[in-house]
Amino acid sequence: MAALMLAPLLLAVPAGYLAGGRLRHLIHVPLRHAWLLWLAVGLQFLQLRHVRPGFSLLIPVFGLVFAFLLGNLRGRGRGLQLAVGAVLTGGALNAAAIASNGRMPHTAEALRAAAALPADPTAAKHFVADAGTRLLWLGDVIPVPAIHGVISIGDIALLLGAAGIVVAGMRGSAARQPSRRSTT
């Protein structure tokens, strides 16, 4: 699954260079409300280590990340706004599947096609879908054999959006845009 997390960088960095960007521009992107991300990381840690199945902290985690992204949109370029929109859309799709089931569903068929292992029945984040699963089409039903994993439509939107954020940052379009006033 780590390969999937690195995918946006593997795609975005060459695309950013092709678009005339530079990695050094990412350092100069001002971020507001970073504490929201740290809080989301803390909740994610609690989810993985201390919370039983059936009770998900993923929705509050998504909410904190959404708030961080929305809090950093003002004054940014159109490219970054579109990329963040893709991340928000992907997150909302994943949140809908999780909220309606308590955890992210995946199918046994997709797991077999990806040569992946099923989730531990006591896992806090995933479960194998059954007849009572709601919004299964939003779940992890897309096999990715190269990483022995399954992903969702929301994951694809998240990955594309994350790649777009990196490209926008490399181009400098993620940095604060100066206000444009008429001099006439």
Side-chain angles (χ1 to χ4, degrees):
M1 212 49 145
L4 189 59
M5 303 296 261
L6 293 175
L9 288 176
L10 297 175
L11 296 172
V13 171
Y17 276 110
L18 287 172
R22 298 289 174 259
L23 275 175
R24 70 177 176 271
H25 292 158
L26 287 172
I27 297 169
H28 303 291
V29 176
L31 298 177
R32 297 180 288 268
H33 315 294
W35 64 272
L36 291 166
L37 289 181
W38 287 111
L39 186 54
V41 168
L43 285 178
Q44 185 77 308
F45 175 78
L46 284 174
Q47 175 75 33
L48 294 174
R49 301 286 182 235
H50 303 291
V51 175
R52 294 185 185 135
F55 179 78
S56 181
L57 291 175
L58 292 175
I59 300 305
V61 167
F62 285 168
L64 291 166
V65 173
F66 284 14
F68 167 77
L69 290 170
L70 291 172
N72 278 281
L73 276 183
R74 188 179 69 245
R76 307 300 174 124
R78 184 77 171 142
L80 180 78
Q81 291 176 353
L82 291 172
V84 167
V87 169
L88 293 173
T89 299
L93 293 172
N94 284 348
I98 292 166
S100 66
N101 294 292
R103 297 181 282 168
M104 179 61 96
H106 57 251
T107 63
E109 296 79 17
L111 290 172
R112 275 193 298 281
L117 297 173
D120 177 352
T122 64
K125 292 177 71 174
H126 294 89
F127 74 99
V128 178
D130 58 25
T133 302
R134 294 179 293 277
L135 299 177
L136 178 58
W137 64 278
L138 292 177
D140 287 341
V141 296
I142 303 167
V144 184
I147 62 166
H148 302 289
V150 290
I151 63 173
S152 66
I153 294 169
D155 293 337
I156 293 170
L158 282 164
L159 293 171
L160 291 173
I165 289 170
V166 171
V167 171
M170 286 178 66
R171 294 190 64 229
S173 60
R176 182 173 270 274
Q177 300 293 316
S179 62
R180 295 180 184 163
R181 295 184 184 170
S182 174
T183 56
T184 57

